[in-house]
Amino acid sequence: MLTEDYIIRMIHDMVRLLSKILGKQYEQPYGTYEASEIKHSSGLGFPECLYQLADQGEIGRAEDMLFEELDFSDIENLSIALNFYTYLNTFSDDRLEACSFSRDEVLDGLRDCAEEFGVDTALLDAFHD
């Protein structure tokens, strides 16, 4: 439990660092919610689709979609990536494991996103053992 709390804090701090490095105000994500709360009559938007896939246990598929469809050349999209990984960080280790994912993969995903947005990942290496 102590290790899990430490890694959760590391991920949170990494998200805050990335938002500062890239000069974007970090907005808190939706928080915990049921997928039914984000459904719109016109369909789901991109971020909501990511959350819904994660809620359904398809975190890997959601992450693949993030990297395939997000325009990393537009800094305005940073909040989508940061909020997605912050949302995954709210999952317990058991829930992540049940979805064939891990907290280390959350860290790796954040690092990969930072690299896609042009951040020198040497700054983030302090967050990895």
Side-chain angles (χ1 to χ4, degrees), residues 46 50 64-74 76-82 113 116-117:
F46 181 68
L50 297 175
D64 290 346
M65 182 184 290
L66 176 77
F67 280 93
E68 290 168 6
E69 297 185 23
L70 192 68
D71 179 5
F72 288 99
S73 67
D74 184 353
E76 295 301 317
N77 291 327
L78 175 65
S79 64
I80 293 171
L82 295 182
C113 278
E116 290 289 334
F117 277 109

Side-chain angles (χ1 to χ4, degrees), residues 3-55:
T3 302
E4 181 180 341
D5 290 344
Y6 174 71
I7 295 172
I8 289 170
R9 282 194 317 275
M10 277 188 357
I11 292 168
H12 178 72
D13 290 344
M14 185 186 284
V15 166
R16 291 180 57 220
L17 175 67
L18 284 173
S19 66
K20 290 191 185 297
I21 288 172
L22 294 171
K24 295 299 296 173
Q25 179 67 33
Y26 175 64
E27 299 172 15
Q28 290 295 325
Y30 293 105
T32 57
Y33 57 87
E34 295 299 319
S36 61
E37 293 176 344
I38 60 167
K39 289 184 180 176
H40 303 289
S41 59
S42 61
L44 297 176
F46 181 68
E48 291 83 3
C49 187
L50 297 175
Y51 298 133
Q52 185 178 59
L53 284 170
D55 287 341

Side-chain angles (χ1 to χ4, degrees), residues 87-129:
Y87 181 64
L88 294 182
N89 198 36
T90 66
F91 288 22
S92 69
D93 282 347
D94 290 339
R95 185 171 178 194
L96 288 171
E97 185 178 318
C99 298
S100 301
F101 217 75
S102 70
R103 197 131 343 250
D104 284 337
E105 288 177 289
V106 174
L107 281 168
D108 290 342
L110 274 169
R111 189 177 189 283
D112 292 344
C113 278
E115 191 169 26
E116 290 289 334
F117 277 109
V119 173
D120 181 357
T121 56
L123 295 169
L124 304 177
D125 289 340
F127 290 94
H128 256 251
D129 296 327

